Amino acid sequence: KQFLCYNVTKVTMKVLTSIICLSLALLSGALTGAPVKVIFDTDMIGDYDDVGAMAVLHKLADAGECEILATVSSSHSNASIGTVEILNRFYGRPDIPVGAVKGDGVGGGSESPEHRSHIKYERLLAKYPGWWRHRNANDAPDATDVYRQTLAAQPDGSVTVIPVGFLTNLRKLLQSKPDRFSPLDGAALVKAKGKVWYAMGWAVPRGREYNMYSDAASAKYALDNWPSQLVVDDFWFSVYIYGGRKVAALPDNGNPVRDIFATCIPPPEKCPPASEIIPTHRFKDNVKEGHNCFDQSCVLAAVRGPGSFYRLVRGRMEMDGKTGANVWTEDPNGPHAVMAPLDGWPRERIAAVIDDLMAAPPKSVRTKEK
């Protein structure tokens, strides 16, 4: 009897343990949700917060918070896609589909005013020769094809698009025709498959922001015709979120994120503190606290969602398709939303989260060999 009771008790405890574990797993799934399906769209042309954004995105993917479906470039004639491929490989995802804008759009060739600040990416390709397939974005697949193929393969209403650069690719996607990937035109395809679009750009309540005025016609078209939810991470939300010194201080041991930040961030003694910048409401490229985390905050917000460190304020964003100037009007019934910080989430705290993600290593060590 003792033996029988003991074994029955063991079985009962195992069953109860299994039920509890399953319940906790289901509860955890209900609270956290499935991984966010992401298409990441970057200009990767002059600034380097794009590199930090990809680091944040990959670390969130390592944690199971998101799934990176594709990574595309909104600039051409440059090393943008090669840099994207290096970062994908460093984080153990070399097979993520990549593409670049074709035809019109912002270029970064030697004749471009952006080229001087883009040289750091050309140097990155030279340092990691086995990590990329496309030296020039012009040789990469068409980003419109990558968008259409990726969207068509996903469940309805499931894809989050995160453009942190120009909106040329989104305009071309919306204007695309039915093809071998889908019988739907671009607008219908986005409406069917898209969940939300998080854009790093514009300025609240008004202004001219670089990502938008660089290809103002595309930005206006995408803004006016995007059929799913649009959330704006505007210039003023992120301009005073500084980070990057933690990853810049890492040893030089084959980390492309570290390489870019260590090269670009000036020594602290040559930078003013953030406290001297914020009261003047002037944009300062680098301060003692680090570099502006525009794109990183957009990725973090898109993956973790409202309530994580920000709330949404509804309204309407309008812009001039020639100058890129924009005006935001708050309206509880408006079609758009902008991010606003939650109480208790000061920018320093957001920056600390971003810093930790950028400095964290991949799940496993990468080597330069193909």
Side-chain angles (χ1 to χ4, degrees), residues 216-239:
S218 290
K220 179 171 175 55
Y221 187 93
L223 173 66
D224 292 346
N225 293 279
W226 194 259
S228 70
Q229 173 68 53
L230 165 61
V231 176
V232 175
D233 175 10
D234 81 291
F235 177 88
W236 293 115
F237 182 90
S238 304
V239 67

Side-chain angles (χ1 to χ4, degrees), residues 101 104-106 166-172 174-175 197 202 211-212 214-225 319 321:
V101 67
D104 58 326
V106 181
F166 320 121
L167 302 187
T168 319
N169 283 329
L170 298 193
R171 188 258 300 169
K172 288 176 176 286
L174 291 171
Q175 294 175 338
W197 161 24
W202 293 294
N211 287 346
M212 302 303 143
S214 295
D215 185 358
S218 290
K220 179 171 175 55
Y221 187 93
L223 173 66
D224 292 346
N225 293 279
M319 69 171 292

Side-chain angles (χ1 to χ4, degrees), residues 59 61-64 91 93 361-366:
K59 287 311 300 178
D62 282 352
Y91 287 99
R93 299 179 178 88
K363 276 189 171 181
S364 59
V365 177
R366 308 295 155 219

Side-chain angles (χ1 to χ4, degrees), residues 265-322:
I265 293 185
E269 61 271 16
K270 294 186 178 181
C271 300
S275 59
E276 295 179 10
I277 300 298
I278 291 178
T280 67
H281 245 226
R282 291 186 296 109
F283 167 55
K284 182 65 180 178
D285 189 44
N286 292 289
V287 298
K288 285 185 178 179
E289 288 77 5
H291 184 62
N292 314 91
C293 293
F294 295 109
D295 298 350
Q296 298 97 316
S297 66
C298 190
V299 166
L300 190 65
V303 173
R304 294 199 166 165
S308 55
F309 62 90
Y310 68 98
R311 59 188 174 88
L312 294 180
V313 178
R314 299 204 65 84
R316 179 181 295 275
M317 183 69 74
E318 298 176 285
M319 69 171 292
D320 186 312
K322 293 182 179 180

